Amino acid sequence: GTTHFMDLCFKVNENVLIPRPETEELVRWILDNARPLEQTISILDMGTGSGCIPISLAKNLSNATIQALDISNKALKVAKKNAEMHGVDIDFFLSDILNLDFSLNADPTKSMNLSLERNYDIIVSNPPYVRELEKK
Protein backbone atom coordinates (compact mmCIF):
# COMPACT_ATOMS: atom_id res chain seq x y z
CA GLY A 1 0.00 0.00 0.00
CA THR A 2 0.92 3.64 0.32
CA THR A 3 0.85 6.32 2.99
CA HIS A 4 1.42 10.06 3.05
CA PHE A 5 4.12 11.68 5.14
CA MET A 6 5.31 15.30 4.96
CA ASP A 7 3.13 15.78 1.86
CA LEU A 8 4.92 12.92 0.09
CA CYS A 9 3.60 9.51 -0.89
CA PHE A 10 5.50 6.46 0.41
CA LYS A 11 5.20 2.78 -0.41
CA VAL A 12 4.64 0.60 2.65
CA ASN A 13 4.14 -3.12 3.17
CA GLU A 14 4.28 -5.73 5.91
CA ASN A 15 8.03 -5.11 6.33
CA VAL A 16 7.72 -1.50 7.55
CA LEU A 17 5.52 0.38 9.95
CA ILE A 18 3.31 3.26 8.83
CA PRO A 19 4.85 6.45 10.23
CA ARG A 20 2.94 8.14 13.02
CA PRO A 21 1.98 11.84 12.99
CA GLU A 22 4.53 12.52 15.76
CA THR A 23 7.26 11.50 13.34
CA GLU A 24 6.30 14.42 11.09
CA GLU A 25 6.75 16.70 14.11
CA LEU A 26 10.27 15.33 14.56
CA VAL A 27 11.15 15.98 10.90
CA ARG A 28 9.68 19.50 11.01
CA TRP A 29 11.75 20.25 14.14
CA ILE A 30 14.93 19.08 12.37
CA LEU A 31 14.08 21.14 9.29
CA ASP A 32 13.44 24.26 11.36
CA ASN A 33 16.87 23.91 12.95
CA ALA A 34 18.82 22.75 9.89
CA ARG A 35 17.46 25.04 7.15
CA PRO A 36 19.36 28.14 8.33
CA LEU A 37 22.68 26.27 8.02
CA GLU A 38 24.56 27.05 4.83
CA GLN A 39 27.36 24.51 5.07
CA THR A 40 26.96 20.88 4.06
CA ILE A 41 25.43 18.91 6.91
CA SER A 42 25.69 15.19 7.47
CA ILE A 43 22.71 13.26 8.79
CA LEU A 44 22.40 9.67 10.02
CA ASP A 45 18.97 8.05 10.43
CA MET A 46 19.05 4.97 12.64
CA GLY A 47 16.19 2.50 12.15
CA THR A 48 14.98 3.97 8.86
CA GLY A 49 12.09 1.61 8.06
CA SER A 50 10.28 2.96 4.98
CA GLY A 51 12.85 5.77 4.70
CA CYS A 52 10.27 8.49 5.32
CA ILE A 53 12.55 10.49 7.63
CA PRO A 54 15.71 10.65 5.52
CA ILE A 55 13.76 11.06 2.27
CA SER A 56 11.71 13.94 3.68
CA LEU A 57 14.90 15.56 4.97
CA ALA A 58 16.65 15.10 1.62
CA LYS A 59 13.72 16.65 -0.26
CA ASN A 60 13.91 19.73 1.97
CA LEU A 61 17.65 20.10 2.66
CA SER A 62 19.71 20.45 -0.50
CA ASN A 63 22.86 20.91 1.60
CA ALA A 64 22.57 17.53 3.37
CA THR A 65 24.36 14.25 2.85
CA ILE A 66 22.26 11.52 4.37
CA GLN A 67 22.91 7.97 5.45
CA ALA A 68 20.31 5.62 6.90
CA LEU A 69 20.47 2.19 8.46
CA ASP A 70 18.08 -0.54 9.48
CA ILE A 71 18.34 -4.05 10.87
CA SER A 72 15.93 -5.38 8.23
CA ASN A 73 17.03 -6.00 4.66
CA LYS A 74 13.36 -6.14 3.64
CA ALA A 75 12.75 -2.70 5.15
CA LEU A 76 15.82 -1.35 3.36
CA LYS A 77 14.43 -2.57 0.04
CA VAL A 78 11.26 -0.56 0.69
CA ALA A 79 13.31 2.49 1.72
CA LYS A 80 15.49 2.27 -1.39
CA LYS A 81 12.40 2.06 -3.63
CA ASN A 82 10.94 5.12 -1.90
CA ALA A 83 14.19 7.05 -2.32
CA GLU A 84 14.30 6.18 -6.02
CA MET A 85 10.65 7.19 -6.41
CA HIS A 86 11.41 10.61 -4.88
CA GLY A 87 14.70 11.09 -6.71
CA VAL A 88 16.88 11.54 -3.64
CA ASP A 89 20.38 10.23 -2.99
CA ILE A 90 20.62 8.43 0.34
CA ASP A 91 23.13 5.77 1.36
CA PHE A 92 21.28 2.88 3.02
CA PHE A 93 23.06 0.31 5.19
CA LEU A 94 22.11 -2.92 6.91
CA SER A 95 23.10 -2.80 10.58
CA ASP A 96 21.88 -3.58 14.07
CA ILE A 97 22.17 -0.33 16.05
CA LEU A 98 22.27 -2.25 19.32
CA ASN A 99 25.37 -4.14 18.16
CA LEU A 100 26.95 -1.47 16.01
CA ASP A 101 30.55 -2.32 15.23
CA PHE A 102 31.16 0.77 13.09
CA SER A 103 31.29 -1.36 9.96
CA LEU A 104 27.96 -0.97 8.20
CA ASN A 105 27.12 -3.05 5.15
CA ALA A 106 24.18 -2.54 2.84
CA ASP A 107 25.14 -5.35 0.49
CA PRO A 108 28.35 -7.11 -0.52
CA THR A 109 29.15 -4.48 -3.16
CA LYS A 110 28.63 -1.41 -0.97
CA SER A 111 30.11 -0.88 2.45
CA MET A 112 30.89 2.09 4.63
CA ASN A 113 33.41 1.97 7.41
CA LEU A 114 32.77 4.35 10.25
CA SER A 115 35.52 5.28 12.62
CA LEU A 116 34.96 6.59 16.11
CA GLU A 117 36.04 9.98 14.80
CA ARG A 118 33.11 10.08 12.35
CA ASN A 119 31.01 13.16 12.99
CA TYR A 120 27.40 13.72 12.09
CA ASP A 121 25.70 17.05 12.45
CA ILE A 122 22.37 15.33 13.07
CA ILE A 123 21.62 11.82 14.25
CA VAL A 124 17.94 11.00 14.15
CA SER A 125 16.11 7.92 15.30
CA ASN A 126 12.43 7.30 15.79
CA PRO A 127 12.42 3.59 16.60
CA PRO A 128 9.18 1.65 16.45
CA TYR A 129 7.16 1.32 19.57
CA VAL A 130 3.94 -0.50 20.31
CA ARG A 131 1.72 0.50 23.18
CA GLU A 132 0.40 -2.27 25.44
CA LEU A 133 -3.17 -1.78 24.22
CA GLU A 134 -2.02 -2.24 20.61
CA LYS A 135 -0.50 -5.64 21.42
CA LYS A 136 -3.92 -7.14 22.18
Side-chain angles (χ1 to χ4, degrees), residues 65-134:
T65 59
I66 303 175
Q67 297 170 329
L69 59 88
D70 202 284
I71 192 172
S72 166
N73 227 347
K74 291 178 180 178
L76 287 173
K77 287 181 183 178
V78 174
K80 287 177 185 179
K81 285 181 185 174
N82 282 323
E84 289 172 13
M85 182 172 69
H86 289 289
V88 295
D89 184 27
I90 297 169
D91 292 321
F92 292 98
F93 300 93
L94 180 67
S95 184
D96 177 358
I97 61 175
L98 297 179
N99 294 302
L100 196 59
D101 65 0
F102 296 98
S103 174
L104 311 178
N105 297 299
D107 58 57
T109 63
K110 183 177 184 181
S111 71
M112 173 184 76
N113 293 317
L114 294 177
S115 69
L116 291 175
E117 295 83 37
R118 176 69 191 230
N119 290 317
Y120 288 96
D121 298 298
I122 299 169
I123 298 175
V124 60
S125 182
N126 190 22
Y129 57 91
V130 180
R131 297 179 299 170
E132 284 299 319
L133 67 96
E134 292 174 308

